[in-house]
Every structure is written in structure tokens, then in C-alpha cells.
Amino acid sequence: GALMRMARPIAACVLAGVLAACKVGPNFTPPHPPVPDEYAGMKSAADDVPAPTPSTDSPPASFWWQEFHDPALDRLEERAAAGNLDLKAAFLRIVEAREQVQSARAQGLPSLNASASYSREQLGLAGIIKSQHIDGAAAGSSGAAGLISSLESPVNLYQLGFDASWELDLFGKVRRSVEVADARSTGAVESRNDLLVSLEAEVAQDYFQLRAGQMLRTIVADQIAAQREVFELTQNRQQHGLAGEADVESARAQLSTLQSELPPYEQSISTSRHALAVLTGLTPEAMDADFIDSDDLPALPAVIPVGVPSTLARRRPDIRQSEAALHAATAQIGVSVASLFPDISLTGTFGLRNLSPGYLFDWDSKFYTFGPTISIPIFHGGALVSNVRLSRAQAAEAALNYRKTVLNALEEVEDGLTGLHQDAARTASLRDTVTADQRALDVDLDAYRHGLLTYITVLTVQIQMVQARQQLAQALLAQNTDLVKLYKALGGGWEDMPANTDANHDRSAAAEN
């Protein structure tokens, strides 16, 4: 009856207030990234340079490592995406951020608490009566005296009740807080995506480093075998009086020099294995039995799709993360501005209270309170205004960080295109150098066998040829590594990737076996 009559007008007032509610502070507008119409590196790439060639005809490859057509690399990327510990930690940070969103949303919902209590009370009425100079006779009758005596006795108080409160988000403080938490949750997702892109690039680079070490080891092993033949040839010529001791010792020194170059390459191969194992969430020695057979670096794709700069901001997770940070900082302005306005809440209590548990659930034992409360900020020493200024400054800083992130992304792509161009030219030149040195060495060795040249001439060409082959292997590694950097700069590798689960890891491990 009475409770319902009071609730209707209050509910009408609440509804009117909610309909008129607004969100203070600026609304977030996605920024326009400062990007050119075309990458400058595409102009230099238009020159007559050997493959690979960048192209804007199609968007960049999402899972770019598959362009190398190397099954071992594909398996490593799958295992790293499933088992990397940093990636798993980043996934947990996403879970944490999403829970923060739920916590922020809960601030705008009604809260309801139940309570039950029992207490034994002594009201102390005798002292109050004495302080008023009232004695039992003055009370007027023996009945009044008996009443006072009964009230003075300790009593048991039983109580059951419910407390409810609801903050009316009239100025959007709660909604802006939810917006902040939601943007930070998006940022956590993009942070994980950015980590995944970096992880994929690191796995590919370590794998290429391993293959390059095996290539260099094979080159040196082949040269050691060839040098042993030359050393035996000089010994044979000395025995027949056709060469001096200096030729023998020079050939021996060249053989020892080549043998001394093997341990660093073995160390490089082991280090790469250890790095790949840790990146996949395993112990360093877990891959010592893998990649035993030497293999060359995988061939590069003939065409590298790079797309246009306008799509970069949507592809790069770090730019998307920076945009989410700007969104959160913008919404935080609304939170700080809303703190300058009154907080209005509806509170209510309903319960049952009696001195006897037998009558506790009697409807006549009910009690309730209901009504709005308002809290108005009057003086906080300037803290609230300072918070508004601070949030505006942080939003301005976030806008600058977004612009800087875009510019850094453009720089990385431009550097990658330049590296792609220059690496191809250098590799082509070194291939010609190796071919020419090998021909010169074959001619000089034939002339030395026929006594037409001294060994010193042959040794000079040998050293040149070994250095040229090593330089070519290093150039091929740089070409693969720089291409990975370009792929990473283009921001591919995170789209529709499976979550880090034990099932995914088991499937990847099965594929490896």
C-alpha cells in the first residue's frame, strides 16, 4: 500500500532523470593517420633490380612466412604461437582487462545486500531516569514502575533485512568509466597481437640465422676438403723438387685458418636452436636433436605485396593499440569532468525486526527506509579541477603518441623497401663475384699443377674466393632478415590466429613429429 504509493512518483522522477542523462566530456573520434598516397620506396623499386619486387596490386600477406614455402618454418611459427610464454602472459592480460570492463559496468547497476543479525542489548534506562530526577513513586503508578523495570531488563534483538542502492549516472561518469575500461581492453588485445607479430618475425629471423650458420659451415667444410687436396699437392711437389717449403707451410696455414672458422659457426647454430626452443616455450636444449641436416636458406618470393599506406593503420597492431590508448585517455576526460557534478543515488532498506524469533516473520515486524541521496562536491583543494587538466594533458600526449607510432610505422616500411632494393643489388653482385673468383681459382690451380704459377698467387685467389662465398651467404641472410623486417613492418600475422591453448600446442607438436 503505502510503499507502492511512494515508489511510483519516485520511479517516475528516476526515469525522467535517466532519459535526460548525458555524458560530459568529449566524444572520441578515430584519428586520421598522417600517411602519404604511396610509399616513396616504390619509386626506387621500379628500377631494373633482380627479384623480389614489391607490388601494390594486392594487400600484404597475412601469414607471410608461408611465402617462403618452408615446412620447418611453418611448424616453428605454429609452435611459437601456441607455446610462447610471453604470448600466454599477454592473453592473461586480456582476460584481466575484460574483467575490468565488467567491474566498471557493475558500478552503474543497482546493488543489493542481505543482512541478518542478533544482538543482546541493555538500553540503560535506569540511568536516564535518574538523570531526570524521576523515581519509581514519581512515575505515577506501580504499573509505570513495572514498565520501566521491564524496559531496563536486557533484550534480544533479531533482525533480517535487505539494503539496496543505485547510483543514477546522470552525468555519464560510470558510462565514461566503462568506455575507458573497454578501450583499455581493446588495447590489451592489440598489445597481444603486436607481440604475436614480433614473435613471428623473431622466430623467422632465428630460423634463418640457423640455416645461414649451416650454409657457412658447409662452405668452410667444402673449402677445408679442397684445401687438403692443395696441401697434399704442395707436399708432392716439394718431394719432387718442384716447390719449396714455403709453399707447404702456406698451404698448411690456410688449412688451419679454415678449420678455425668452423667452431664459431657451430656456436651460432646451437645458439639459434636454443633461441627457437625458448620462443616456443621449451627448455633451451629441447631442439638439440632438430635441424641436424644442413640446409640452405629458403628462396625468396618473386613478388612482395605491400599494399598502400592508407591501410597500414588498420593492419599494424601497435597503431591500433595507440588508437585505443587515445580513446581511453579521451574518455578519461569525461570521468574527471563528471566528478565535478553531484552524485545522486537511490537507497532503500527493508527488513524484519523483533525481540522474539517466533514473531520475526510476522508482517507487523517489518521496517523500511527509502529515498534519494545527493552528494555535492564543494571544496577539495583544487584536486578535481587538477584531475580535469591532467586528463586533458594525457589525452593530448596520447594523440602525439598515436602520430609518432604512425610515423615510426611508415619509417619501418620505407626502410624495409630500401633494404629490399639494396639487398637484391648486393646479392646479385656477390653472385657474379663468386662465379668469377671460382673460375680464376680453377685456372690458377691448373696453372700451378703445371708449374706455371707460384702457390702464393693461388693462395691469394683462394682467400678471395672463400671471403666472397662467405659474404654471399651473409648477404643472403641479410636479404631474408630484411624481408622479414618488411613483413613485420606491414603488420601481418595476427589476423584470425587461434588462442593459446594446450590443444593447439598438442596439434602443433603432432605436426612437428
Side-chain angles (χ1 to χ4, degrees):
L3 181 61
M4 294 301 296
R5 288 194 299 272
M6 294 174 59
R8 289 193 186 97
I10 293 177
C13 293
V14 170
L15 180 59
V18 171
L19 292 177
C22 63
K23 291 192 292 184
V24 295
N27 293 321
F28 175 71
T29 302
H32 297 287
V35 296
D37 295 333
E38 184 181 14
Y39 295 114
M42 296 300 299
K43 299 175 183 177
S44 60
D47 300 337
D48 186 14
V49 176
T53 304
S55 171
T56 58
D57 294 339
S58 57
S62 294
F63 309 116
W64 47 263
W65 58 88
Q66 297 175 352
E67 300 297 314
F68 291 97
H69 301 291
D70 190 324
L73 177 59
D74 294 343
R75 289 193 296 269
L76 281 173
E77 295 288 1
E78 292 172 3
R79 294 177 64 177
N84 183 261
L85 300 184
D86 290 333
L87 210 57
K88 290 183 177 181
F91 180 77
L92 292 178
R93 287 192 290 272
I94 294 175
V95 175
E96 295 167 4
R98 288 174 177 169
E99 293 302 324
Q100 291 292 334
V101 174
Q102 295 301 321
S103 178
R105 286 177 178 167
Q107 300 302 314
L109 299 176
S111 62
L112 179 65
N113 299 306
S115 63
S117 66
Y118 160 77
S119 61
R120 184 170 177 80
E121 297 183 1
Q122 167 60 267
L123 299 179
L125 291 179
I128 296 175
I129 292 173
K130 283 184 179 181
S131 68
Q132 300 299 317
H133 305 288
I134 302 174
D135 55 19
S141 67
S142 60
L147 177 61
I148 293 174
S149 176
S150 64
L151 291 176
E152 174 63 16
S153 301
V155 297
N156 297 322
L157 183 63
Y158 301 89
Q159 181 171 312
L160 296 174
F162 296 91
D163 298 326
S165 64
W166 181 25
E167 179 181 349
L168 304 182
D169 190 28
L170 299 181
F171 302 101
K173 183 178 180 179
V174 173
R175 283 168 289 167
R176 289 298 191 194
S177 297
V178 173
E179 189 178 352
V180 171
D182 208 17
R184 288 174 178 170
S185 176
T186 300
V189 173
E190 298 303 340
S191 177
R192 185 255 183 191
N193 291 340
D194 189 46
L195 180 61
L196 178 58
V197 171
S198 298
L199 171 66
E200 290 160 349
E202 190 172 356
V203 168
Q205 289 173 346
D206 286 339
Y207 175 73
F208 292 153
Q209 184 72 44
L210 185 149
R211 290 307 188 194
Q214 291 179 336
M215 283 182 62
L216 288 164
R217 181 181 64 183
T218 300
I219 290 172
V220 173
D222 292 344
Q223 294 304 313
I224 289 174
Q227 185 59 24
R228 281 200 180 97
E229 295 181 1
V230 173
F231 175 57
E232 293 171 358
L233 176 62
T234 56
Q235 286 182 317
N236 183 270
R237 289 179 61 82
Q238 182 194 31
Q239 292 171 0
H240 291 82
L242 301 177
E245 186 177 353
D247 287 354
V248 176
E249 294 305 321
S250 295
R252 190 197 307 277
Q254 175 66 1
L255 178 60
S256 298
T257 299
L258 290 172
Q259 289 172 335
S260 70
E261 293 179 2
L262 278 179
Y265 296 140
E266 294 289 356
Q267 181 181 2
S268 175
I269 293 170
S270 297
T271 300
S272 299
R273 280 201 190 98
H274 296 162
L276 288 171
V278 172
L279 287 175
T280 56
L282 306 174
T283 56
E285 73 281 0
M287 287 190 179
D288 285 353
D290 296 337
F291 312 112
I292 297 300
D293 296 333
S294 296
D295 200 354
D296 292 340
L297 285 164
L300 302 180
V303 178
I304 310 297
V306 297
V308 292
S310 60
T311 64
L312 191 63
R314 302 267 45 95
R315 292 185 55 81
R316 291 263 306 210
D318 58 338
I319 297 179
R320 295 158 65 98
Q321 180 187 4
S322 182
E323 181 180 329
L326 176 58
H327 189 173
T330 303
Q332 187 62 40
I333 297 176
V335 175
S336 59
V337 171
S339 299
L340 300 173
F341 293 84
D343 288 334
I344 301 176
S345 301
L346 294 179
T347 59
T349 302
F350 178 82
L352 300 169
R353 181 189 298 148
N354 205 298
L355 300 180
S356 172
Y359 288 90
L360 182 60
F361 293 98
D362 192 297
W363 185 246
D364 290 335
S365 299
K366 69 181 181 299
F367 69 94
Y368 64 85
T369 60
F370 187 84
T373 62
I374 182 169
S375 174
I376 303 175
I378 297 177
F379 178 74
H380 290 267
L384 299 181
V385 175
S386 294
N387 286 339
V388 174
R389 293 172 180 168
L390 174 62
S391 59
R392 291 187 185 278
Q394 290 173 337
E397 181 184 3
L400 291 177
N401 287 337
Y402 174 82
R403 182 178 179 86
K404 179 181 177 182
T405 304
V406 173
L407 294 179
N408 287 341
L410 290 172
E411 179 186 15
E412 291 177 3
V413 175
E414 295 290 6
D415 289 345
L417 290 172
T418 301
L420 190 69
H421 176 84
Q422 300 301 332
D423 287 343
R426 182 168 183 263
T427 301
S429 298
L430 284 173
R431 289 187 189 277
D432 293 340
T433 301
V434 168
T435 301
D437 284 342
Q438 186 64 56
R439 290 174 181 171
L441 180 59
D442 292 342
V443 171
D444 288 350
L445 278 174
D446 185 67
Y448 176 67
R449 290 188 180 95
H450 291 82
L452 302 177
L453 290 176
T454 61
Y455 179 69
I456 297 301
T457 303
V458 176
L459 179 60
T460 302
V461 179
Q462 274 184 319
I463 294 174
Q464 289 178 351
M465 194 272 294
V466 171
Q467 291 177 343
R469 290 191 65 181
Q470 291 174 337
Q471 288 175 356
L472 176 58
Q474 294 289 355
L476 291 173
L477 173 61
Q479 194 172 21
N480 281 57
T481 300
D482 288 344
L483 180 54
V484 169
K485 291 179 180 178
L486 176 58
Y487 279 131
K488 178 185 174 184
L490 294 171
W494 57 269
E495 304 91 338
D496 298 325
M497 289 298 292
N500 287 346
T501 61
D502 293 337
N504 287 330
H505 186 273
D506 294 342
R507 285 195 297 270
S508 300
E512 177 69 19
N513 295 330

